[in-house]
Amino acid sequence: TTLAGKYALTRVLGVGGMGAVYEAQNTWTERRVAEKVMLGDGARDDDMAARFIREARAASRIEHTNVVDILDMGQDPTDGTLFIVQEFLVGRDLRSVLDELAALPPRDALEAIVPVMSALVAAVGMLLLPAAAVMPPARATRGEVWPHGETRPIEPVEDQVGTVPDPEDQVCFWL
């Protein structure tokens, strides 16, 4: 299957409440990517579709080494499927690592938490809250936060000078 004439879906990586995530390849650049596709009832619901688009735009505004890059988004012209294209991450999600090990050795825990906390600071600074971490292969230098899952609005908080951020800047993000 090819979306938007340039993303060849190669395998399913996961399925969730709003859709599925596929490993894909950009047929123009030959870059390996992860593609989130909105499926089922959500794809036919205007509010869900608007939320999907809003979340992709919000996630694309975070520019941080430890946050997965949103590369593209769109709607397939043949069937109207909404999709989000992200960089493809190699590694295991932190949840599966913790399920397997029960606990990380202190050094590994520190190496995992520092980049995740840095990414959370970037997201919270934009009133966004990502929720999943991807563990890079052993001793890699870059762990990343991967936005995905259900959406929850984040309440505005006062910044250090006592003002509340503009409500137009408040967005939802995958949790």
Side-chain angles (χ1 to χ4, degrees):
T1 303
T2 301
L3 284 176
K6 66 178 179 177
Y7 295 107
L9 306 182
T10 56
R11 69 182 172 113
V12 176
L13 298 174
V15 178
M18 287 181 74
V21 178
Y22 295 88
E23 178 178 346
Q25 184 170 9
N26 182 317
T27 60
W28 289 62
T29 65
E30 299 182 346
R31 181 177 180 165
R32 185 177 176 193
V33 297
E35 188 153 358
K36 183 173 185 173
V37 177
M38 191 170 196
L39 301 172
D41 293 337
R44 292 182 288 282
D45 181 311
D46 289 342
D47 289 336
M48 293 288 284
R51 186 171 87 178
F52 186 83
I53 292 167
R54 186 173 59 247
E55 291 170 354
R57 287 180 179 153
S60 73
R61 292 195 327 237
I62 304 173
E63 294 181 22
H64 191 278
T65 301
N66 302 109
V67 176
V68 66
D69 288 331
I70 304 297
L71 305 172
D72 195 7
M73 62 181 283
Q75 188 169 24
D76 187 84
T78 58
D79 65 4
T81 300
L82 291 172
F83 62 89
I84 301 166
V85 181
Q86 299 174 188
E87 68 178 304
F88 187 88
L89 301 180
V90 176
R92 296 175 54 204
D93 68 275
L94 183 56
R95 169 59 26 210
S96 68
V97 171
L98 291 175
D99 287 346
E100 180 182 311
L101 300 178
L104 291 175
R107 180 184 173 117
D108 292 346
L110 185 60
E111 288 177 1
I113 198 65
V114 169
V116 170
M117 293 305 297
S118 179
L120 288 172
V121 167
V124 167
M126 296 183 65
L127 297 176
L128 305 175
L129 184 61
V134 172
M135 296 295 294
R139 302 291 173 229
T141 59
R142 183 177 169 204
E144 297 197 40
V145 171
W146 180 20
H148 77 286
E150 296 300 316
T151 304
R152 185 176 79 189
I154 305 301
E155 293 298 319
V157 294
E158 290 191 12
D159 66 19
Q160 294 184 2
V161 294
T163 59
V164 176
D166 185 329
E168 290 298 315
D169 291 335
Q170 297 173 40
V171 292
C172 298
F173 199 61
W174 297 288
L175 280 185

